[in-house]
Amino acid sequence: MIYLDAAATTLQKPAAVFRAVAQAMETCANPGRSGHRPAMRAAEIVFDCRQAAAEFFGLSDPARVVFTQNATHALNIAVKSLLHGGGHAVISGYEHNSVARPLEALAGRGVTYTVARSPLFDQDAAYAAVVHSLRPDTRCVILTHVSNVFGFVLPVERVNALCERRGIPLVIDASQSAGVLPLDVSRLCGTAFVCMPGHKSLYGPQGTGILLCCKDVPLYTITEGGTGSSSLDLRQPGYLPDALESGTLNVPGIAGLREGLRFVSGHRKEIRARETALSRRLAEGLSAIPGVTLWQSGTCQTGVLSFRADRMDPEELCGRMAEAGICLRGGLHCAPLAHGSAGTLPQGTVRAGFSAFNTGQEIQRLLEAVEKALKYC
């Protein structure tokens, strides 16, 4: 099998991740609930991962690292914290449904939003679109760092500076960038929240995510319950991380995520260089196949390459590749806004997502399989 769907989840993980998950399942109980050894072991693992994440992303206080189920969970908390009283949001034209759907769900509660549309791979236009979309009642800007469909790196730093000047909180969706691109929140003073999954470029298990709470803003809890703290008070604790971590944490997942963070901390530059090289090699090969269109930028793209064949639907082509043992993703990738911005509706694209474990030989096999699939259609 050749796995090139890392933009959805990295299937191949460092061996230490698997070992940490298994060991935690054997040795860890419920953190923060008891003083016995299995509970204390769990608490140590959770704190170690929290501290590792804070250091990796430049957050001074580990208590501001909140563990979530995934990036969608983190985004829901961020969006609803900033907009639970109503107001206007600005989002880019490349947002995932994990941003668009929470905003749509809030539409009946006084929330409106503007999609700041811009051409693909044009960072200046993307920034200008955000500027032009701001209104007096804008309460937040939500921006994906990297498009999950096209790998387009959006101008997060410039938008952060804009939000800082205007006093508007920024929410960054780092689903495709965390672990690949530098992300130091100590330098992003306009940013209130950063949301990310653990299971993509941080190489952690599925069912893990991180919410970085960078500013002191009122928090909206979407789940209330036991936290192991302030148990006499029937109200949810108002301090981090307890306010947003109700119920039993996914300790085995967090143990694996800790090892994923260690792996990425030591290899981030090499991982990005590998992904860039593989993307370019695939783009060069696809360009030589008649009837194939690809979406590529030499300056602001990372980790993901989308393409399409004139004579075959993207999902059919993905099915053919699956039969050949090659894992890609076809269709809309839960991001119709991005496809609308790039003009790839309604069919979408075929997407290749790279990881630290892919090789040039795998790219060559993919090119041969695409060429064979299209030869007689």
Side-chain angles (χ1 to χ4, degrees), residues 26 28 33 52 57 70 80 85 94 101 108 110 129 135 140 154 156 180 188 190 225 231 243 283 320 330 363 369-370:
E26 293 176 350
C28 290
R33 269 61 171 184
F57 294 108
N70 42 52
K80 291 168 184 176
Y94 295 91
R101 284 180 172 172
R135 300 187 337 199
C140 68
L154 278 84
V156 162
V180 179
L188 300 173
S231 295
R320 297 282 188 93
I363 300 303
V370 169

Side-chain angles (χ1 to χ4, degrees), residues 43 67 99 117 132 152 172 184 253 269 292 308 310 343 368:
F67 292 117
V99 169
R117 298 187 183 277
H132 294 319
F152 174 27
I172 298 175
D184 183 352
K269 290 183 179 179
V292 171
R308 192 160 68 187
D310 294 344
E368 293 168 358

Side-chain angles (χ1 to χ4, degrees), residues 89-314:
V90 174
I91 68 174
S92 83
Y94 295 91
E95 300 305 313
H96 191 274
N97 277 345
S98 55
V99 169
R101 284 180 172 172
L103 290 172
E104 285 289 333
L106 293 171
R109 306 180 199 176
V111 171
T112 60
Y113 67 97
T114 299
V115 179
R117 298 187 183 277
S118 62
L120 184 60
F121 300 130
D122 189 334
Q123 290 183 324
D124 290 339
Y127 175 78
V130 171
V131 174
H132 294 319
S133 299
L134 295 177
R135 300 187 337 199
D137 63 337
T138 299
R139 293 186 58 178
C140 68
V141 175
I142 307 167
L143 190 71
T144 186
H145 196 174
V146 174
S147 165
N148 73 304
V149 180
F150 301 103
F152 174 27
V153 182
L154 278 84
V156 162
E157 292 81 5
R158 292 174 65 187
V159 173
N160 169 80
L162 170 69
C163 288
E164 184 180 5
R165 292 194 301 270
R166 300 287 185 91
I168 300 170
L170 173 64
V171 177
I172 298 175
D173 179 359
S175 293
Q176 300 299 332
S177 63
V180 179
L181 297 182
L183 188 59
D184 183 352
V185 300
S186 69
R187 304 170 66 89
L188 300 173
C189 296
T191 299
F193 296 104
V194 180
C195 310
M196 67 193 74
H199 64 89
K200 294 189 182 184
S201 295
L202 295 180
Y203 294 88
Q206 295 171 352
T208 60
I210 293 174
L211 173 67
L212 304 180
C213 301
C214 308
K215 282 184 174 293
D216 290 323
V217 299
L219 298 171
Y220 181 83
T221 58
I222 60 176
T223 305
E224 296 80 36
T227 59
S229 59
S230 304
S231 295
L232 191 61
D233 191 348
L234 296 184
R235 296 167 298 180
Q236 187 74 4
Y239 49 85
L240 290 170
D242 299 44
L244 300 175
E245 289 184 353
S246 294
T248 300
L249 290 173
N250 177 8
V251 176
I254 292 169
L257 178 56
R258 182 184 62 172
E259 294 302 325
L261 279 163
R262 287 176 175 168
F263 170 73
V264 172
S265 295
H267 301 90
R268 183 171 61 188
K269 290 183 179 179
E270 295 91 332
I271 293 171
R272 185 181 180 187
R274 174 182 287 271
E275 291 184 0
T276 299
L278 294 174
S279 179
R280 289 175 178 170
R281 181 166 181 174
L282 179 58
E284 290 173 2
L286 290 172
S287 297
I289 300 176
V292 171
T293 302
L294 63 149
W295 286 265
Q296 183 192 25
S297 167
T299 58
C300 54
Q301 185 179 24
T302 185
V304 177
L305 183 68
S306 269
F307 63 96
R308 192 160 68 187
D310 294 344
R311 294 168 289 165
M312 190 175 293
D313 181 84

Side-chain angles (χ1 to χ4, degrees), residues 4 9 26-27 74 80 99 165-166 190 198 278 322 344 349 357 376:
L4 289 165
T9 189
E26 293 176 350
T27 63
K80 291 168 184 176
V99 169
R165 292 194 301 270
R166 300 287 185 91
L278 294 174
T344 50
T349 62
F357 296 95
Y376 299 109

